[in-house]
Amino acid sequence: GSVVASYPYDDSPTHSLRGVYSKSADDEVFKYLAKAYASHHPIMRTGKPNCPGEEGETFQDGITNGAQWYDVEGGMQDYNYVWANCFEITLELSCCKYPPASELQKEWENNRESLLAFIEQV
C-alpha cells in the first residue's frame, strides 16, 4: 500500500515496470480529480507517505499517473475508462492493506474531507 491518488493509464505501451507516463485523452481531468482528493488529505497532500520499506517514495501533490508509478496490464481503472467511459481514480489510503481496527477512526479522520471534496466534483 501507499498513500496516493493514482489516475489512468495504469498500463503503458512499453509495459516497462515503472517510470513511463501513460497519458490518457482526459489526463488533465484525471489530474484535477486526483488533486481534489489528495489536497484535502493530511498525509497524501505532502507527497511523502513514508511507508515502511519505501521511505524515499514521493508523489508530487500526492498524485501519480499509474504507469509512471508501476505498470499494471489489464487493470479495472483502465478497463472502465476505455470500455465504459467511467472516470476512475485509484486511492491508496494506507501503507497497510489491512489496518487494525484500532486505526480505523484515524483513517476516517484522514479521509473524511477528501471524500467530501471528491464527491463535490460530481
Side-chain angles (χ1 to χ4, degrees):
S2 193
V3 185
V4 66
S6 172
Y7 56 90
Y9 287 119
D10 283 335
D11 194 7
S12 69
T14 62
H15 304 297
S16 297
L17 293 179
R18 59 180 54 225
V20 176
Y21 195 100
S22 191
K23 186 176 180 177
S24 74
D26 296 294
D27 196 63
E28 292 301 316
V29 174
F30 281 120
K31 286 194 285 191
Y32 178 84
L33 292 172
K35 282 181 185 179
Y37 194 96
S39 67
H40 290 86
H41 190 286
I43 297 167
M44 198 178 292
R45 71 173 164 230
T46 70
K48 298 175 185 172
N50 200 30
C51 292
E54 298 289 339
E55 290 85 359
E57 188 169 57
T58 61
F59 303 99
Q60 185 175 346
D61 299 321
I63 69 172
T64 188
N65 173 262
Q68 188 169 29
W69 184 21
Y70 65 91
D71 195 283
V72 174
E73 187 175 354
M76 287 300 298
Q77 178 172 266
D78 292 358
Y79 178 86
N80 286 331
Y81 174 57
V82 171
W83 298 105
N85 202 30
C86 292
F87 283 46
E88 280 186 26
I89 63 171
T90 298
L91 300 169
E92 298 273 345
L93 302 178
S94 173
C95 296
C96 176
K97 292 286 187 185
Y98 303 102
S102 62
E103 294 180 20
L104 295 180
Q105 181 62 38
K106 182 65 175 169
E107 290 300 327
W108 166 245
E109 291 167 9
N110 285 345
N111 288 282
R112 187 174 61 85
E113 291 303 317
S114 294
L115 287 165
L116 293 172
F118 188 71
I119 290 168
E120 288 173 356
Q121 302 310 306
V122 175

